[in-house]
Amino acid sequence: EGREDLQVNQLETQIWIKPDMQKTDVDFSEILNAIQEIAKDVNIFFDELEGVNSPSKDDDSLLHHGNLTCTSDDASRLEVVGEEVPDKNKTSGLYFKDGKCRIDYILVYRKSNPQTEKREVFERNIRAEGIQMEKESSLTNSDIIFVKLHAPWEVLGKYAELMNVRMPFRRKIYYLHRRYKFMNRIEKQISRFRGWLPKKPMKLDKETLPDLEENDCYTAPFSQQRIHHFIIHNKDTFFNNATRSRIVHHILQRVKYEEGKNKIGLNRLLSNGSYEAAFPLHEGSYRSKNSIKTHGAENHRHLLYECWASWGVWYKYQPLDLVRRYFGEKIGLYFAWLGWYTGMLFPAALIGLFVFLYGVTTLNHCQVSKEVCQATDIIMCPICDKYCPFMRLSDSCVYAKVTHLFDNGATVFFAVFMAVWATVFLEFWKRRRAVIAYDWDLIDWEEEEEEIRPQFEAKYSKKERMNPISGKPEPYQAFADKCSRLIVSASGIFFMICVVIAAVFGIVIYRVVTVSTFAAFKWALIRNNSQVATTGTAVCINFCIIMLLNVLYEKVALFLTNLEQPRTESEWENSFTLKMFLFQFVNLNSSTFYIAFFLGRFTGHPGAYLRLINRWRLEECHPSGCLIDLCMQMGIIMVLKQTWNNFMELGYPLIQNWWTRRKLRQEYGTQRKTSFPQWEKDYNLQPMNAYGLFDEYLEMILQFGFTTIFVAAFPLAPLLALLNNIIEIRLDAYKFVTQWRRPLASRAKDIGIWYGILEGIGILSVITNAFVIAVTSDFIPRLVYAYKYGPCAGQGEAGQKCMVGYVNASLSVFLVSDFENRSEPTSNGSEFSGSPLKYCRYRDYRDPPHSAIPYGYTLQFWHVLAARLAFIIVFEHLVFCIKHLISYLIPDLPKDLRDRMRREKYLIQEMMYEAELERLQKERKERKKNGKSYHNEWP
């Protein structure tokens, strides 16, 4: 009878519960009296039917039943009937001492810090905004003070409306398109066939991990006037922890700490040392004694560790919705992009592995490598001055076979495939980003007007002009001043690029000098493989120089960016990102470009070698070609850099946190350490990188460049990138969940300037791969020989039988007596035939020494050169046409998503209209009931 009177199934039923009332031995009349006594307390809004029939789906209600946070000082505290505050809340370190008010943000300062007055003014203004505060000294250092902040419901609602925070207000109703009977039958057959197959192992098990289910609701900007439209099961968990922290941070950024126009914001207090740290709390420990499958997750951090950061789930999809809910949209988008990039690497890695295996299987049938291995009577000229001996061509048999593994008939196909793959990857990422933006309510989100950087204000505070958006005066940088700073910055960038070129020049000199040294080495292993030893040591030294210069570049890029005086933080971040990418890209790839396009191209010929500073003879390619040097350069740099980055990403914070724990263990013992509150544990973790996600993005973008730019020379690059990324995802996840303080949840619509950089790399990759195939590899010379000079000349065939005699045709003859004095070898080659050599061979297309023009270019040379230029032009135009065609054919927004967005917009308008109509009708009934006269207005 009582339930019928209360009408609990109506949409806006308000239930008032007395805090100290018991659940048993109370009749219905006492409940009504209690309701009348506390009618001004907090009201709980239940969604239609779901507030009674289904459990709460808000974030923490699934994980901490009964852990209700404080919503205001006294009047708005919400407690379940007969339920006391658990002791766990008081000891967990996530609440105030009363166990009711959840900590939304932590500020840390030292009592010995002299900036006391600024902190007092700042904290007094924080209280004036309605935020509750509680202070507590550190258990390990009494000089460190933790300021715990909590935002009550009224403050959260007020600023959520100002910040346009989107919140759920109605369950989604999916509209299914009408299907034909034939399509329905096909779908039934497919679903029946899928039932016989095992379940997808990469999908997360939502039955054992129910907390992964998200509220599938329509959202709208929060409004206190229309609060009855929103689904509020519980006011304490309506705003999740990440949103609460973001709202508190928004308030702290706008609170004054001193009288003055610019004396405002937490960032300035952190920069001048008033506060030592500021961070939101992690949601407890990431480990638990109980299994997550039997006892559930202790908190969202524990859930993320078990289903995302643990190595046991390396093969499963990422729980991106949970990552976004805990860390915010910006970090969620990074992991979404990284996961998408890793998934797209699978087909590229498979095709690259197929190209490599094709080279392995056709190795014994390759006519060129056969001729090299059988050329025991062909004596090659020395590859360096004095100490390098004559050598048989057959001595390079192994290198010829290794070269065939990477330079074979499938290489051109793979280069075209990777150019198209890069375009498909970017186009489908735009579609994937659109779906994510829709699911995460980022479609209509626009960045609010950013604050001006304090450095910009301090520098240009004397000059002001009106902001066209806010209409308020702000500091202004003159155009001449801005241009002069940009010119100085560009000059600095050019100078640093010259430093990179100088480093490459030093590596070139090292290669030139050491090839002779290794040729005269005592050990036969090094002496016989002097060129490989030179290349290997040069790559390792180059890697060390790269890592050292990266440290210098970071400081120079920071200096130049601050010199430019960007107006806002996003402008500063974009400028710094572009400089660091240019520096690191040139630093990482300059030696690779030298090996690919310059090594052995401008050496001259025996008897007339070109020399560096008229002293050192330029390095030549191996008799088997330059591609083996390029493969070694890419393989060593890629493996070493990825290994080093992964070690530094995880190794440094692990060592730092281990050292901190060790000191605590020595001073306070193991038992005391485990009883530290959460804010103390989080303070002892490493802060997130000062540049945010910059290092993570930069590492992956540089890897993307390695994977695409020279992929024609190293088809295994996508496979190495794939293996690295599988590890990288879990390393980054482990680092975010366990080793770093919880970063502030921030919003973003996309990956920012990095997308434009990716498009630029995609365009560059087409050009470089065209030149690698045409210039570095022997694909074009072999093709010209097969169609013009080989046994099949004029027959339109190019098989292995058409390559007979290619090796001999690609080598020119040199008269040993024509050697210069400084390059004449110490041995006369008598060990090969018993008498001094008269002739030796070298890689080039030149006339013999007794021709009319000795050592002049042959007609075959010009044919090969013309074919190379024609191939570059045709390859680039063909691939660019395919790329643009794919970009045109693939829409940025999927059709089903476009339909869903249109339908959702229509349904939202209908729902808002119905809800408003229902409210007006109720008001009309209440007026009639109270006997008040009113005009016959609509409805």
Side-chain angles (χ1 to χ4, degrees), residues 110-177:
R110 293 182 180 270
K111 289 191 291 186
S112 57
N113 190 290
Q115 308 280 357
T116 306
E117 185 177 350
K118 292 180 180 179
R119 284 197 304 270
E120 289 178 352
V121 174
F122 185 70
E123 291 169 4
R124 186 165 60 246
N125 291 333
I126 290 175
R127 294 191 191 95
E129 292 289 339
I131 293 181
Q132 298 173 13
M133 186 182 301
E134 187 176 86
K135 294 186 178 182
E136 192 165 332
S137 61
S138 171
L139 298 177
T140 59
N141 188 348
S142 58
D143 188 44
I144 298 176
I145 304 297
F146 294 96
V147 182
K148 298 174 281 186
L149 304 179
H150 167 77
W153 168 260
E154 292 81 4
V155 176
L156 292 173
K158 172 186 174 183
Y159 279 94
E161 186 171 359
L162 291 175
M163 296 168 64
N164 289 324
V165 177
R166 299 182 70 91
M167 301 303 295
F169 72 92
R170 187 66 62 90
R171 297 277 177 194
K172 285 188 178 180
I173 303 172
Y174 290 100
Y175 173 74
L176 298 177
H177 295 282

Side-chain angles (χ1 to χ4, degrees), residues 63-64 209 211 282-293 295-310 322 326 737:
L63 301 174
H64 302 282
L209 301 176
D211 300 322
H282 278 296
E283 298 180 6
S285 175
Y286 63 89
R287 294 186 182 274
S288 176
K289 297 179 181 178
N290 303 318
S291 172
I292 191 173
K293 293 185 178 181
H295 293 76
E298 296 287 336
N299 49 65
H300 285 144
R301 190 187 185 193
H302 178 215
L303 184 61
L304 278 171
Y305 178 78
E306 291 291 339
C307 69
W308 184 48
S310 176
L322 190 58
Y326 193 83
V737 173

Side-chain angles (χ1 to χ4, degrees), residues 25-240:
D25 300 328
V26 180
D27 60 14
F28 187 73
S29 61
E30 293 179 4
I31 294 178
L32 292 178
N33 293 332
I35 290 173
Q36 293 173 359
E37 289 175 5
I38 57 173
K40 292 182 181 181
D41 279 350
V42 177
N43 50 355
I44 307 174
F45 293 94
F46 287 89
D47 187 25
E48 186 175 1
L49 295 178
E50 296 200 13
V52 178
N53 298 328
S54 64
S56 170
K57 291 283 187 178
D58 292 309
D59 278 338
D60 295 341
S61 59
L62 285 173
L63 301 174
H64 302 282
H65 296 289
N67 291 2
L68 304 175
T69 63
C70 176
T71 52
S72 69
D73 282 336
D74 293 310
S76 300
R77 289 185 181 169
L78 189 69
E79 297 181 3
V80 178
V81 178
E83 185 176 353
E84 298 180 357
V85 177
D87 293 335
K88 183 180 178 181
N89 288 5
K90 299 180 180 180
T91 59
S92 65
L94 300 175
Y95 295 83
F96 281 11
K97 288 183 178 179
D98 59 4
K100 300 176 183 178
C101 297
R102 189 179 187 94
I103 299 172
D104 296 322
Y105 212 81
I106 291 289
L107 302 177
V108 186
Y109 69 89
R110 293 182 180 270
K111 289 191 291 186
S112 57
N113 190 290
Q115 308 280 357
T116 306
E117 185 177 350
K118 292 180 180 179
R119 284 197 304 270
E120 289 178 352
V121 174
F122 185 70
E123 291 169 4
R124 186 165 60 246
N125 291 333
I126 290 175
R127 294 191 191 95
E129 292 289 339
I131 293 181
Q132 298 173 13
M133 186 182 301
E134 187 176 86
K135 294 186 178 182
E136 192 165 332
S137 61
S138 171
L139 298 177
T140 59
N141 188 348
S142 58
D143 188 44
I144 298 176
I145 304 297
F146 294 96
V147 182
K148 298 174 281 186
L149 304 179
H150 167 77
W153 168 260
E154 292 81 4
V155 176
L156 292 173
K158 172 186 174 183
Y159 279 94
E161 186 171 359
L162 291 175
M163 296 168 64
N164 289 324
V165 177
R166 299 182 70 91
M167 301 303 295
F169 72 92
R170 187 66 62 90
R171 297 277 177 194
K172 285 188 178 180
I173 303 172
Y174 290 100
Y175 173 74
L176 298 177
H177 295 282
R178 184 177 178 181
R179 302 270 184 168
Y180 294 103
K181 293 183 179 180
F182 177 71
M183 294 300 296
N184 287 333
R185 290 175 184 172
I186 292 178
E187 288 183 358
K188 287 181 181 179
Q189 295 296 331
I190 293 175
S191 61
R192 185 181 302 174
F193 176 71
R194 285 177 178 172
W196 298 337
L197 299 175
K199 293 183 178 179
K200 293 183 179 180
M202 292 188 292
K203 283 195 173 182
L204 293 164
D205 189 359
K206 293 188 177 182
E207 295 180 359
T208 55
L209 301 176
D211 300 322
L212 292 177
E213 295 179 5
E214 288 288 320
N215 286 336
D216 205 6
C217 301
Y218 294 116
T219 61
F222 183 77
S223 172
Q224 289 181 313
Q225 293 181 348
R226 296 182 175 181
I227 194 172
H228 51 278
H229 293 167
F230 295 91
I231 303 174
I232 306 181
H233 299 298
N234 189 335
K235 281 188 175 181
D236 302 304
T237 57
F238 179 61
F239 297 105
N240 61 34

Side-chain angles (χ1 to χ4, degrees), residues 138-142 660-676 680:
S138 171
L139 298 177
T140 59
N141 188 348
S142 58
T660 304
R661 291 194 301 268
R662 183 175 178 272
K663 290 195 298 184
L664 293 176
R665 197 182 303 113
Q666 289 177 347
E667 294 179 11
Y668 302 98
T670 307
Q671 297 298 326
R672 183 69 180 274
K673 177 182 173 295
T674 56
S675 62
F676 286 161
E680 191 98 33

Side-chain angles (χ1 to χ4, degrees), residues 48 177 214 282 294 299 363 371 388 502 541 654 656 661 675 696 719 732 742 754 780 849 860 862 932:
E48 186 175 1
H177 295 282
E214 288 288 320
H282 278 296
T294 56
N299 49 65
L363 184 60
E371 290 186 0
C388 290
I541 293 173
L654 272 175
Q656 290 288 97
R661 291 194 301 268
S675 62
E696 280 71 22
L719 180 62
D732 285 348
R742 186 176 184 178
W754 296 109
I780 298 299
Q860 188 174 354
W862 300 108
K932 294 182 179 180

Side-chain angles (χ1 to χ4, degrees), residues 467-511:
N467 186 309
I469 299 175
S470 63
K472 298 178 182 178
E474 66 177 22
Y476 167 67
Q477 182 182 17
F479 179 76
D481 180 74
K482 187 174 184 178
C483 287
S484 61
R485 290 178 178 274
L486 287 175
I487 291 172
V488 174
S489 179
S491 302
I493 295 172
F494 179 75
F495 173 76
M496 292 309 299
I497 292 176
C498 291
V499 171
V500 177
I501 296 173
V504 174
F505 187 74
I507 294 295
V508 171
I509 294 177
Y510 168 82
R511 295 172 68 109

Side-chain angles (χ1 to χ4, degrees), residues 320-605:
L320 293 176
D321 289 330
L322 190 58
V323 174
R324 170 245 184 172
R325 190 166 60 181
Y326 193 83
F327 291 111
E329 286 80 3
K330 193 169 187 178
I331 294 176
L333 270 172
Y334 163 71
F335 282 103
W337 176 84
L338 180 56
W340 183 256
Y341 171 45
T342 304
M344 289 292 291
L345 278 173
F346 271 98
L350 288 176
I351 299 297
L353 184 61
F354 167 77
V355 171
F356 179 78
L357 293 178
Y358 174 80
V360 173
T361 55
T362 59
L363 184 60
N364 295 327
H365 306 286
C366 178
Q367 181 63 32
V368 176
S369 59
K370 279 182 182 180
E371 290 186 0
V372 171
C373 294
Q374 295 171 1
T376 56
D377 57 337
I378 297 179
I379 308 301
M380 302 297 295
C381 297
I383 59 175
C384 68
D385 292 337
K386 297 288 185 181
Y387 302 106
C388 290
F390 295 98
M391 58 180 294
R392 287 189 175 93
L393 181 59
S394 58
D395 293 343
S396 61
C397 175
V398 175
Y399 304 113
K401 291 182 177 180
V402 173
T403 301
H404 177 74
L405 299 180
F406 301 100
D407 183 15
N408 51 64
T411 303
V412 178
F413 160 75
F414 187 58
V416 175
F417 171 81
M418 286 303 297
V420 174
W421 172 87
T423 303
V424 171
F425 161 67
L426 293 175
E427 292 300 320
F428 275 96
W429 162 247
K430 286 195 287 188
R431 292 166 62 88
R432 173 65 176 156
R433 188 207 64 83
V435 174
I436 292 174
Y438 169 78
D439 291 337
W440 292 357
D441 294 318
L442 299 173
I443 294 290
D444 299 323
W445 179 78
E446 294 292 340
E447 289 190 55
E448 58 185 12
E449 178 68 14
E450 284 192 87
E451 294 181 0
I452 298 175
R453 297 177 67 243
Q455 295 86 344
F456 185 88
E457 286 181 339
K459 180 71 176 176
Y460 301 102
S461 57
K462 296 181 181 179
K463 294 183 179 180
E464 291 186 345
R465 73 172 182 180
M466 298 295 292
N467 186 309
I469 299 175
S470 63
K472 298 178 182 178
E474 66 177 22
Y476 167 67
Q477 182 182 17
F479 179 76
D481 180 74
K482 187 174 184 178
C483 287
S484 61
R485 290 178 178 274
L486 287 175
I487 291 172
V488 174
S489 179
S491 302
I493 295 172
F494 179 75
F495 173 76
M496 292 309 299
I497 292 176
C498 291
V499 171
V500 177
I501 296 173
V504 174
F505 187 74
I507 294 295
V508 171
I509 294 177
Y510 168 82
R511 295 172 68 109
V512 169
V513 172
T514 53
V515 69
S516 299
T517 305
F518 284 138
F521 213 74
K522 294 180 180 180
W523 295 349
L525 179 64
I526 295 179
R527 186 172 62 251
N528 296 334
N529 299 277
S530 59
Q531 197 162 17
V532 177
T534 300
T535 302
T537 53
V539 171
C540 294
I541 293 173
N542 184 35
F543 174 75
C544 295
I545 293 175
I546 287 172
M547 302 311 295
L548 290 175
L549 288 179
N550 282 346
V551 179
L552 174 64
Y553 292 156
E554 183 175 343
K555 298 183 183 301
V556 172
L558 192 62
F559 171 77
L560 292 177
T561 306
N562 290 331
L563 181 67
E564 291 178 8
Q565 291 290 350
R567 177 176 169 273
T568 62
E569 286 297 332
S570 65
E571 291 178 6
W572 187 96
E573 183 179 338
N574 289 340
S575 178
F576 179 76
T577 297
L578 189 59
K579 290 181 182 62
M580 279 298 292
F581 170 75
L582 285 176
F583 288 158
Q584 297 229 21
F585 181 80
V586 174
N587 187 28
L588 190 64
N589 293 287
S590 54
S591 295
T592 312
F593 270 89
Y594 163 74
I595 293 174
F597 305 126
F598 297 99
L599 178 62
R601 307 295 165 200
F602 309 101
T603 58
H605 62 87

